[in-house]
Amino acid sequence: MSAFDTLLQNQKPRVQAVLNILLESPYFYKTDHEEHFLFLRRYQREFAGFFEETFGWQLVSDAKCARLYKPEWFNDRITPSNRDLFTFTRRDECLAFMLLLEFFESRLEEESASVEEPDNIRFRFGDLLLYTRNRFTELFPEQASGYSDEDVRKILRPVMPQLEKYRFLVRLDPPDDERIEPDDTIYECLPALWHYSVQRISRPLGESPAQPL
């Protein structure tokens, strides 16, 4: 009997709960269900062994987030267009996501933040807008006139809801009695962003990506 089988036999309800949570969405955050998350962390070796031996999947986790990495699709009839995947296909939208990662990493450095800290990084939309506009003009100086504040807003407009949908960011609503400008909207960076790196997922930012992210 494997270590996972023993764990399942002894604590079946908790094991089943963790397995279901891991399969219900791409990311399992500690804040989703702290008790189950800590149980997963405590028995990470057993869960990781089960997924590797049974499915060939890799369980990746840190202090705030766990996810399953599935390196291969086996049903060729399910094409990328049939899957509900986090992806951008337009060049500027792909770059905007990578620039968000750059922005996130710069904020981590500025605040000397680590994944172990309880609070997540927060930022004003206006600060992201300024950073993204400046980086676009650095990347494409000959097209700088096409990256005004309003142009970059249009690029980010479809990107931000996708980042919320797939739980990379969460928008924090102001108090009911407070009205704010769009640039003052506060976003919180969720732990999944720690699992991405600009260097790993991109070629040089000036190049168009060959594949969707």
Side-chain angles (χ1 to χ4, degrees), residues 22 24 33 86 98 113 129 151:
L22 284 169
E24 285 169 355
H33 195 296
F86 170 71
M98 289 187 279
L129 175 68
D151 293 321

Side-chain angles (χ1 to χ4, degrees), residues 3-35:
F4 179 82
D5 290 334
T6 301
L7 182 64
L8 179 61
Q9 185 178 65
N10 294 336
Q11 303 202 55
K12 185 174 181 178
R14 299 178 79 180
V15 171
Q16 287 181 327
V18 169
L19 294 178
N20 276 282
I21 292 172
L22 284 169
L23 295 173
E24 285 169 355
S25 70
Y27 303 103
F28 176 15
Y29 293 146
K30 182 179 180 180
T31 52
D32 292 340
H33 195 296
E34 185 170 359
E35 179 184 346

